[in-house]
Amino acid sequence: MMGGAAFAQPVSAGLKAGLPLTDFLNEVNGVSSTITNRYLIGPEVELRLPFGLGIEFDALYRHFSYTNVIGSATNAITSIGSSGNWEFPLVAKYRLPSKIVRPYLEAGISWDTLAGLKNSATAVLCTNTSACNTVLPAPPTAQSQTTAGVVLGGGLDIHAILIHISPELRFTRWADQYFNLSGVLTSGQNQAEFLVGFTF
């Protein structure tokens, strides 16, 4: 009995969804308006090991768009863009002993990358109030589109008959800004999320 339990390594899979608790983009220059979808969603897979241990891998997606204006009312450059963003955390977990509700801690690493970045720029240049020209300069380029970071978190594993429900708080410290748009907008390096996993 003990030997069979020690070598049993069931794999559970399901869906993880949640909300970002920190701002995705930070303004560097100009006046910015950003819209980040208030959700993260994607599949998760976990290898459940003996003695409360486990290894979890997620693929979480979100989408954002932005508008940034640099200049004055008569001379301004407006940048507009959007992108998807994928986050790939790999964490080791330890569950405290319990039958139905098991608190757990987790730590690991994560990778983050942009997907399908689209942006454009429009400049309005006025020599006086009656003479304005509209030009299309080269759009700002994303200087960085991927990075890695350290993940820490904790939550509850609630075993409800055939499904595990796992609400958690997760913090990631990125090594670099994974979005850096030519000094216009950047991503934050500290990221907090509230997530809920549903696995079978």
Side-chain angles (χ1 to χ4, degrees):
M1 293 290 291
M2 290 296 292
F7 287 99
Q9 298 180 347
V11 175
S12 61
L15 181 72
K16 178 157 284 189
L19 302 172
L21 301 179
T22 52
D23 291 335
F24 183 75
L25 297 176
N26 298 321
E27 176 184 321
V28 176
N29 191 9
V31 178
S32 299
S33 172
T34 64
I35 299 175
T36 302
N37 285 357
R38 298 302 296 174
Y39 65 83
L40 294 154
I41 191 167
E44 72 164 292
V45 177
E46 181 177 351
L47 177 64
R48 295 179 181 268
L49 302 171
F51 311 115
L53 300 176
I55 299 174
E56 179 182 324
F57 178 76
D58 308 323
L60 303 176
Y61 177 82
R62 75 178 114 196
H63 184 270
F64 70 88
S65 61
Y66 70 89
T67 299
N68 181 265
V69 180
I70 300 176
S72 63
T74 56
N75 294 278
I77 298 176
T78 302
S79 301
I80 299 174
S82 64
S83 180
N85 178 253
W86 282 99
E87 183 181 325
F88 301 102
L90 176 65
V91 296
K93 304 173 73 170
Y94 173 69
R95 291 177 174 83
L96 299 175
S98 183
K99 290 185 177 181
I100 298 177
V101 179
R102 303 184 67 181
Y104 65 85
L105 299 174
E106 63 183 9
I109 56 177
S110 185
W111 298 269
D112 195 284
T113 186
L114 299 183
L117 174 65
K118 299 177 182 179
N119 59 8
S120 62
T122 303
V124 177
L125 307 175
C126 301
T127 56
N128 54 56
T129 57
S130 60
C132 295
N133 295 318
T134 300
V135 297
L136 300 176
T141 58
Q143 298 174 343
S144 60
Q145 299 189 47
T146 184
T147 190
V150 177
V151 179
L152 296 173
L156 299 174
D157 183 357
I158 304 170
H159 189 190
I161 307 177
L162 298 178
I163 188 173
H164 287 263
I165 302 173
S166 303
E168 68 176 65
L169 291 175
R170 181 179 286 177
F171 174 80
T172 306
R173 170 65 181 181
W174 300 109
D176 299 297
Q177 294 165 332
Y178 48 91
F179 182 78
N180 185 335
L181 193 63
S182 298
V184 176
L185 294 171
T186 65
S187 63
Q189 289 183 256
N190 295 319
Q191 177 178 299
E193 301 162 340
F194 172 74
L195 302 166
V196 180
F198 302 89
T199 56
F200 300 89

